[in-house]
Amino acid sequence: MTDLVVMGNRKFITLQESNMDIEVFSYLTELLQNLNIHIHNIHEGNPIDLMKHHYLERWCHESCNTAIVFFKDSDYIERGSIEVYPNERFPHAWILFLFQNKKYVLDLALNVVCEKELYDSLFIPRIEGYSSSLKTREYLMRKLLNPPKREYSKGAMNFLHRLCGESLENQDEVEILGSNCIMDSMFHGNIGYIGTIEHGKIKSLSAHFYEGEF
């Protein structure tokens, strides 16, 4: 069972255990079992576990861009703004997915899993863009299969090390800098990926979230 609450000024969704809640979380846990996320080499783990500890709170675009590739082709990221505090809107992104013929929202940044109708009634989202699981997955697979070459001069390496820090230590990663177009496959974010592709599908994926740009 899911309830709406307001604590102070901030809106929350609270979950009281029910069979449906267990089924949804079991579905998401299995769906994302081969995804591992690193945040600044400080926090690491499965996205559901990171979500429960609120480690993805500042990473709405990065977490959506990454997790969506394991969902069904027709599931998608919604991007726009939500109202977390009364009359205050914030840029945000979340995943809309179909489970047992019902539409659900997975909001990894806010630690929310609930039916779309409930999410919409609480956070009053304004949709400005989206990207489907199929579109984002195909984009990421192209990058993983054809990684761009990294050729830096000594001066550029020094500059990039100051800019990117630990990202330069992960030379096997495919680096993707999100675009500024809200309809693109990957909007915003600075992510390094290592993945395994089998039979045209992403079998496993490790994602490293970085601050700034590559």
Side-chain angles (χ1 to χ4, degrees):
M1 183 175 182
T2 313
D3 295 315
L4 304 179
V5 295
V6 177
M7 296 178 62
N9 288 326
R10 183 169 176 175
K11 301 175 180 179
F12 288 89
I13 290 179
T14 62
L15 295 178
Q16 297 178 355
E17 189 172 290
S18 70
N19 289 334
M20 178 56 70
D21 298 335
I22 293 172
E23 289 177 10
V24 173
F25 272 99
S26 295
Y27 170 74
L28 291 173
T29 299
E30 182 177 357
L31 197 68
L32 300 173
Q33 64 181 324
N34 294 321
L35 172 59
N36 196 58
I37 293 175
H38 305 251
I39 303 174
H40 290 318
N41 288 327
I42 298 173
H43 304 300
E44 176 188 355
N46 180 275
I48 299 300
D49 293 332
L50 292 174
M51 176 186 75
K52 290 178 180 178
H53 288 90
H54 303 281
Y55 293 144
L56 296 173
E57 193 169 82
R58 295 175 51 244
W59 306 91
C60 67
H61 293 295
E62 292 87 348
S63 60
C64 286
N65 291 346
T66 301
I68 191 63
V69 302
F70 288 95
F71 281 75
K72 296 175 183 175
D73 290 354
S74 57
D75 296 335
Y76 55 94
I77 305 168
E78 288 188 332
R79 302 170 178 141
S81 65
I82 60 172
E83 190 177 278
V84 180
Y85 300 92
N87 302 315
E88 290 189 51
R89 303 198 67 83
F90 296 89
H92 202 57
W94 54 96
I95 290 174
L96 186 67
F97 66 98
L98 194 65
F99 177 71
Q100 295 185 353
N101 295 319
K102 290 185 179 180
K103 291 183 178 179
Y104 282 83
V105 168
L106 169 63
D107 190 329
L108 289 160
L110 291 184
N111 187 18
V112 168
V113 180
C114 69
E115 292 186 24
K116 180 182 185 297
E117 184 178 345
L118 178 61
Y119 189 88
D120 290 352
S121 69
L122 180 63
F123 295 112
I124 318 172
R126 292 177 185 167
I127 312 303
E128 298 173 22
Y130 57 89
S131 182
S132 71
S133 174
L134 178 62
K135 175 184 174 183
T136 310
R137 186 188 314 116
E138 289 182 340
Y139 173 85
L140 180 56
M141 285 197 298
R142 287 196 299 271
K143 293 291 186 179
L144 290 173
L145 292 171
N146 300 285
K149 293 182 179 179
R150 300 199 290 187
E151 298 178 354
Y152 305 128
S153 67
K154 185 176 180 180
M157 282 293 291
N158 290 336
F159 171 76
L160 286 169
H161 197 279
R162 292 195 302 272
L163 181 67
C164 304
E166 75 270 22
S167 70
L168 291 184
E169 299 173 9
N170 302 304
Q171 293 295 313
D172 292 332
E173 290 182 350
V174 174
E175 301 167 340
I176 296 181
L177 182 64
S179 79
N180 291 320
C181 176
I182 202 165
M183 295 296 293
D184 280 353
S185 300
M186 293 205 174
F187 174 64
H188 285 340
N190 179 9
I191 310 172
Y193 289 107
I194 298 175
T196 301
I197 297 175
E198 295 181 4
H199 308 296
K201 294 183 178 181
I202 298 175
K203 185 70 175 179
S204 64
L205 190 65
S206 177
H208 199 142
F209 295 173
Y210 298 107
E211 295 279 10
E213 300 181 354
F214 286 116

